[in-house]
């Protein structure tokens, strides 16, 4: 019993404290990178209102006053970099219909020309009839090159958060991505907001990115929703070497975890944060950025908050009580 009381006291003192007084170090960390605070990132484009990772999702995200568009990069069997989340084509395309005889539908086993024959939009209209749009029918897969042409951070002011998706499947994809950015003349500029971020679950891949392009910040993604302190600390230790911050799976991000990250100079971007309630909680916990499927809703909100500075709290109450 005595030990239990000691443990609870220690917990209240060292952890619960941050529930009442969340860390205030995040803004300085974010400023170091010249990010706007907080950083708002559209997950697979505006994927609530348009088919994920397609042109309309990217365009809607750009129009939403956000800072970055998060997109997953993979490679075709003829070496082209494409934007796609799943490892196979079944959920998001009509690949089974167009290529009924294939043994499997892993995207890495298809050429770009084959992928360009597929429809990556109709599944959305079928799954979400209330958000359907006939323009979504027949949407194509995007290459990384096409995305850079659509977004072009130099013109749109919106950056790219590129996730290296399953990089172990794609040897040297890091070099190839860096090459594609160089080809499009996308370079970071001293004192300005980064144009490109790299996300990955793979510390090895992030370390490679650190060597190849140290000026673009890196975010280590964490997968689990329920996280014990030891696991969190081990992510922090890995991130200290390979990354600049953590992209933490939403519900695990307690304020004492964010405070521990801040103490190591790391920022924390929880994902995927889609409701007003989640935004409210995470901003109380002092998250430094948010990865959302719904940038239309929150991009405008954060833009207003940025402009209004001190009035932010008032505005927050106003928006969140809608
Ligand atoms: O931004 C983080 C997020 O993209 C990682 O998860 O599965 O959506 O790629 P996932
Ligand atoms: Ca992703």
């Amino acid at each position: 019993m005595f030990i239990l009381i000691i443990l609870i006291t220690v917990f209240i003192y060292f952890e619960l404290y941050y529930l009442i007084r969340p860390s205030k170090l995040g803004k300085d960390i974010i400023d170091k990178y010249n990010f706007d605070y907080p950083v708002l990132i559209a997950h697979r484009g505006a994927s609530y209102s348009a088919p994920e990772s397609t042109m309309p999702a990217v365009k809607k995200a750009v129009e939403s006053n956000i800072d970055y568009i998060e997109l997953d990069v993979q490679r075709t069997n003829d070496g082209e970099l494409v934007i796609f989340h799943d490892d196979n084509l079944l959920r998001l395309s009509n690949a089974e219909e167009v290529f009924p005889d294939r043994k499997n539908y892993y995207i890495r086993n298809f050429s770009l020309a084959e992928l360009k024959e597929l429809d990556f939009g109709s599944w959305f209209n079928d799954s979400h009839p209330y958000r359907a749009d006939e323009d979504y029918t027949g949407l194509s897969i995007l290459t990384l090159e096409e995305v850079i042409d659509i977004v072009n951070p130099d013109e749109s002011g919106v950056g790219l958060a590129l996730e290296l998706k399953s990089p172990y499947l794609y040897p040297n994809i890091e070099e190839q991505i860096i090459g594609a950015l160089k080809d499009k003349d996308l370079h970071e500029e001293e004192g300005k907001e980064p144009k490109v971020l790299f996300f990955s679950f793979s510390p090895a891949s992030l370390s490679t990115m650190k060597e190849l392009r140290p000026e673009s910040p890196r975010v280590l993604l964490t997968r689990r929703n329920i996280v014990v302190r030891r696991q969190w600390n081990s992510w922090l230790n890995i991130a200290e070497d390979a990354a600049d911050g953590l992209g933490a799976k939403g519900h695990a991000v307690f304020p004492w975890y964010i405070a521990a990250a801040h103490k190591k100079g790391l920022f924390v971007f929880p994902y995927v944060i889609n409701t007003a309630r989640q935004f409210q909680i995470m901003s109380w916990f002092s998250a430094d950025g948010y990865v959302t499927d719904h940038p239309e809703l929150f991009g405008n909100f954060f833009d207003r908050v940025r402009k209004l500075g001190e009035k932010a709290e008032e505005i927050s109450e106003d928006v969140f009580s809608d």
Side-chain angles (χ1 to χ4, degrees), residues 84-289:
F84 196 69
H85 174 268
D86 294 3
D87 66 350
N88 70 71
L89 297 161
L90 299 174
R91 180 175 69 97
L92 300 172
S93 82
N94 57 344
E96 265 180 311
E97 206 179 298
V98 178
F99 299 107
D101 301 326
R102 295 295 277 250
K103 271 201 225 103
N104 65 59
Y105 292 90
Y106 292 123
I107 184 164
R108 61 183 179 276
N109 294 339
F110 282 70
S111 68
L112 181 60
E114 286 172 331
L115 293 176
K116 285 286 184 188
E117 286 182 46
L118 302 179
D119 171 353
F120 288 88
S122 292
W123 69 271
F124 184 92
N125 290 349
D126 296 340
S127 306
H128 307 293
Y130 295 108
R131 285 176 252 151
D133 185 326
E134 61 183 34
D135 288 349
Y136 296 162
T137 308
L139 288 172
S140 282
I141 197 162
L142 293 172
T143 62
L144 177 60
E145 205 186 324
E146 286 165 342
V147 162
I148 300 174
D149 288 340
I150 302 166
V151 178
N152 194 340
D154 285 325
E155 285 161 23
S156 67
V158 174
L160 294 168
L162 301 177
E163 181 180 341
L164 292 116
K165 182 58 83 192
S166 314
Y168 52 90
L169 293 172
Y170 305 113
N172 302 324
I173 192 167
E174 295 85 2
E175 283 84 350
Q176 198 178 349
I177 291 175
I178 301 290
L181 297 172
K182 268 196 197 144
D183 288 348
K184 293 284 176 186
D185 232 357
L186 262 190
H187 304 284
E188 305 302 351
E189 289 171 63
E190 183 89 34
K192 293 217 175 138
E193 191 170 34
K195 294 171 194 170
V196 181
L197 312 182
F198 298 116
F199 281 26
S200 191
F201 289 101
S202 159
S205 205
L206 292 177
S207 296
T208 306
M209 284 311 203
K210 184 177 179 177
E211 273 171 35
L212 296 174
R213 190 169 156 128
E215 61 277 22
S216 294
R218 295 157 310 276
V219 178
L220 177 68
L221 298 171
T222 70
R223 221 181 271 279
R224 293 195 204 146
N225 249 335
I226 298 182
V227 181
V228 294
R229 171 59 99 155
R230 194 191 296 177
Q231 173 74 70
W232 185 259
N233 286 344
S234 105
W235 281 330
L236 292 185
N237 290 336
I238 296 168
E240 245 188 327
D241 279 342
D244 302 281
L246 287 177
K249 190 142 187 184
H251 308 101
V253 197
F254 301 121
W256 45 91
Y257 284 0
I258 293 179
H262 286 172
K263 277 195 190 148
K264 286 184 177 281
L266 298 162
F267 54 75
V268 181
F269 299 162
Y271 76 91
V272 180
I273 306 299
N274 282 339
T275 67
R277 177 71 60 208
Q278 290 168 333
F279 269 89
Q280 250 172 336
I281 292 171
M282 285 302 150
S283 72
W284 174 256
F285 288 179
S286 285
D288 307 302

